Amino acid sequence: MENQAMQEPLVYRRVLLTVDEDDNTSSERAFRYATTLARDYAVHLGICSVLESEDINIFDSLTPSKLQEKRRHVEQVVADYVKLAEANGVEHVEPLVYEGGDVDDVILEQVIPDFKPDLLVTGADTQFAHSKISGAIGPRLAKKAPVSVIVVR
Amino acid sequence: MENQAMQEPLVYRRVLLTVDEDDNTSSERAFRYATTLARDYAVHLGICSVLESEDINIFDSLTPSKLQEKRRHVEQVVADYVKLAEANGVEHVEPLVYEGGDVDDVILEQVIPDFKPDLLVTGADTQFAHSKISGAIGPRLAKKAPVSVIVVR
């Protein structure tokens, strides 16, 4: 091993936190970890949620007004997290609200290329109700994302 | 969400780094992240490797002297990482060398209960040559471990 390189500190400079609408314990801890890191190292924090606008079941598909309502709700959830992060002392926080058919794909193909995080922070129980694949998104992203991923418990 | 709780910083106090014998880029970065964190927050760092003493193929099974040689090699690899971590300014570093049939099981059933980490750090490409399950251990541990897991790329 090259000792020189190994002695360089490794600090993430762009942290992306994914949040869903539910406030479970792991989401809360993921938020606390992301804000602690972003504040202590003065780095950029993006807080991201995905509105699943394309439901799998056509009978569940949303009317434009229902979709608009849902969109406003997700925007509000993210805005609340942003405010709280700023209250926690994070200087650079960015709300990121996306829409799409599958949360994993949206994060991998849109949010990551746009925000260019070097660390993705997600709660172990963070999941999206209408995702094509059930279960928490963290371990899946830990496998598939091109950047570092922390699954917070 | 309860704003009071959300404002508490979240700092990991016992960090467990898994290393294999190969020095790939993600292992190097995992080491750098673990030592940066352990130094900056003055927390305990365990550096762990697992010697797979039970090979699946009986024809590959090791003679006692070969096993002893392999054991010494793994101990040396971990000791080198410990020295390097201390050189990086980490005060409390502990070498952890285990043996067993399957790396995932050994980490989940022995190392974690013994060391009691609250964060497990692993490189995205960290894998063990003789593991029953092929591929990197990070995403699997991110799913199965009872503590937070960061997969470093």
Side-chain angles (χ1 to χ4, degrees):
Chain A
M1 68 196 140
E2 290 177 41
N3 292 11
Q4 182 103 42
M6 301 285 272
Q7 283 169 0
E8 290 285 314
L10 194 153
V11 173
Y12 292 111
R13 296 288 169 201
R14 294 185 69 80
V15 175
L16 178 67
L17 171 72
T18 61
V19 295
D20 60 8
E21 297 165 53
D22 298 324
D23 298 315
N24 54 56
T25 306
S26 79
S27 293
E28 181 193 301
R29 289 177 59 80
F31 173 84
R32 288 171 51 207
Y33 183 68
T35 52
T36 302
L37 209 60
R39 188 197 57 193
D40 292 356
Y41 291 99
V43 300
H44 281 257
L45 175 65
I47 299 181
C48 150
S49 198
V50 178
L51 171 65
E52 285 155 306
S53 53
E54 300 163 24
D55 275 314
I56 303 153
N57 186 340
I58 199 159
F59 299 106
D60 288 340
S61 60
L62 297 162
T63 59
S65 68
K66 274 274 175 201
L67 185 63
Q68 186 55 29
E69 193 185 301
K70 214 176 150 185
R71 188 177 287 140
R72 277 209 202 94
H73 176 66
V74 174
E75 283 169 356
Q76 192 53 54
V77 167
V78 173
D80 287 346
Y81 275 112
V82 167
K83 243 182 259 168
L84 213 49
E86 286 169 342
N88 281 6
V90 183
E91 277 190 38
H92 307 283
V93 198
E94 203 175 311
L96 300 157
V97 177
Y98 280 72
E99 289 182 32
D102 180 77
V103 176
D104 293 35
D105 293 346
V106 172
I107 291 173
L108 292 169
E109 292 162 18
Q110 295 179 52
V111 187
I112 291 177
D114 285 355
F115 184 72
K116 297 181 180 61
D118 46 16
L119 176 65
L120 206 150
V121 180
T122 176
D125 304 315
T126 302
Q127 51 184 310
F128 291 80
H130 303 284
S131 186
K132 261 186 274 181
I133 312 162
S134 70
I137 61 165
R140 291 200 305 274
L141 292 176
K143 194 170 180 178
K144 295 190 283 182
V147 298
S148 296
V149 176
I150 180 166
V151 176
V152 178
R153 287 192 173 82
Chain B
M1 67 196 139
E2 289 177 43
N3 291 11
Q4 182 102 42
M6 302 285 274
Q7 282 170 1
E8 289 285 315
L10 193 154
V11 174
Y12 293 110
R13 296 287 168 200
R14 294 185 69 81
V15 175
L16 178 66
L17 171 71
T18 62
V19 295
D20 59 10
E21 297 165 53
D22 299 325
D23 298 315
N24 55 55
T25 306
S26 78
S27 293
E28 180 193 301
R29 288 177 58 81
F31 173 83
R32 287 171 52 206
Y33 183 69
T35 52
T36 303
L37 210 58
R39 188 196 57 194
D40 291 356
Y41 290 99
V43 300
H44 280 257
L45 175 65
I47 300 182
C48 151
S49 197
V50 178
L51 171 65
E52 285 155 307
S53 52
E54 300 162 25
D55 275 315
I56 303 154
N57 187 340
I58 198 159
F59 300 106
D60 288 340
S61 62
L62 297 163
T63 60
S65 68
K66 275 273 175 202
L67 184 62
Q68 186 55 27
E69 192 186 300
K70 214 175 151 186
R71 189 177 288 139
R72 277 208 203 94
H73 176 66
V74 173
E75 282 169 357
Q76 193 53 54
V77 166
V78 173
D80 288 345
Y81 275 111
V82 167
K83 242 182 262 167
L84 213 49
E86 286 169 343
N88 282 6
V90 183
E91 277 190 41
H92 307 284
V93 199
E94 203 174 311
L96 301 158
V97 177
Y98 280 72
E99 288 182 33
D102 181 76
V103 177
D104 293 35
D105 293 345
V106 173
I107 291 173
L108 292 169
E109 291 162 19
Q110 296 180 52
V111 188
I112 291 177
D114 285 355
F115 185 72
K116 298 183 179 62
D118 46 15
L119 175 66
L120 207 150
V121 180
T122 178
D125 303 315
T126 301
Q127 50 183 312
F128 292 80
H130 303 283
S131 187
K132 261 186 275 180
I133 312 161
S134 69
I137 61 165
R140 292 200 304 274
L141 292 175
K143 193 170 180 179
K144 295 189 282 181
V147 299
S148 297
V149 176
I150 180 165
V151 176
V152 177
R153 287 190 173 81

